[in-house]
Amino acid sequence: MLAVLTGCVAEPAPDVLIGLRNPTVAFGGTSRFDRDRFAGAWQTVACLGSCTRSEEYRAASGGVYLRRTREAETAYEISAPGVLREMGGEDTLVVMWVDEGFRTAAIGDAEGRWAAILNRSRKPAGDRIRAATEILDFNGWDVSKLRVVK
């Protein structure tokens, strides 16, 4: 009997590195995502990791969706609602939430390196910021590290 039990000893679970986002929590894009309504200028009002102060999205020809920051313009394809995969690269952006008026959004990269709460202006409504923060938390992000971007 002891020999049988000895063979059943479980291996210790591998350590999971939890940085800005817990990788064991599944997350995905919002079904509310609409490429035309999401297009336009956004201001980063809160951030985890390294974020830009502002960014702009626009639809281009051939199904290409462009993200422009001060540093670069990157082409993406929309592979699922709210999921943007870099064309010719490894980056995947996930729009986890956007309010009904497309004024505030929660977005992050699939690798867990950064996440941001975006707003159409620098003066967001508190209820939408709370909602975006709750969505980030629900999707495994460490919202205790969220910082305001001015």
Side-chain angles (χ1 to χ4, degrees):
M1 179 81 145
L2 183 58
V4 171
L5 290 176
T6 305
C8 294
V9 173
E11 301 257 339
D15 288 334
V16 175
L17 178 62
I18 298 176
L20 297 175
R21 185 179 173 281
N22 182 343
T24 65
V25 176
F27 82 121
T30 178
S31 60
R32 185 182 287 161
F33 183 82
D34 178 291
R35 72 183 216 139
D36 294 327
R37 291 189 71 197
F38 193 78
W42 292 92
Q43 305 298 314
T44 303
V45 294
C47 180
L48 290 160
S50 177
C51 299
T52 62
R53 192 172 193 282
S54 62
E55 50 194 76
E56 182 177 345
Y57 294 85
R58 67 181 173 87
S61 62
V64 176
Y65 203 61
L66 298 172
R67 176 183 185 240
R68 177 179 290 181
T69 65
R70 197 170 86 177
E71 293 81 29
E73 184 171 81
T74 308
Y76 292 88
E77 67 174 323
I78 300 170
S79 61
V83 179
L84 290 69
R85 296 193 188 282
E86 182 181 11
M87 299 177 77
E90 301 290 321
D91 249 1
T92 300
L93 303 180
V94 180
V95 180
M96 295 165 269
W97 176 82
V98 64
D99 75 299
E100 288 183 20
F102 281 74
R103 298 162 294 178
T104 306
I107 186 170
D109 79 322
E111 296 296 317
R113 293 176 302 227
W114 67 269
I117 297 174
L118 305 178
N119 199 67
R120 295 292 186 177
S121 71
R122 284 262 155 235
K123 295 183 180 183
D127 61 333
R128 293 195 316 263
I129 296 303
R130 280 189 297 281
T133 302
E134 288 173 9
I135 291 295
L136 289 174
D137 184 47
F138 178 80
N139 283 279
W141 294 92
D142 183 354
V143 295
S144 70
K145 296 179 182 174
L146 196 62
R147 67 185 190 287
V148 174
V149 176
K150 295 191 184 226

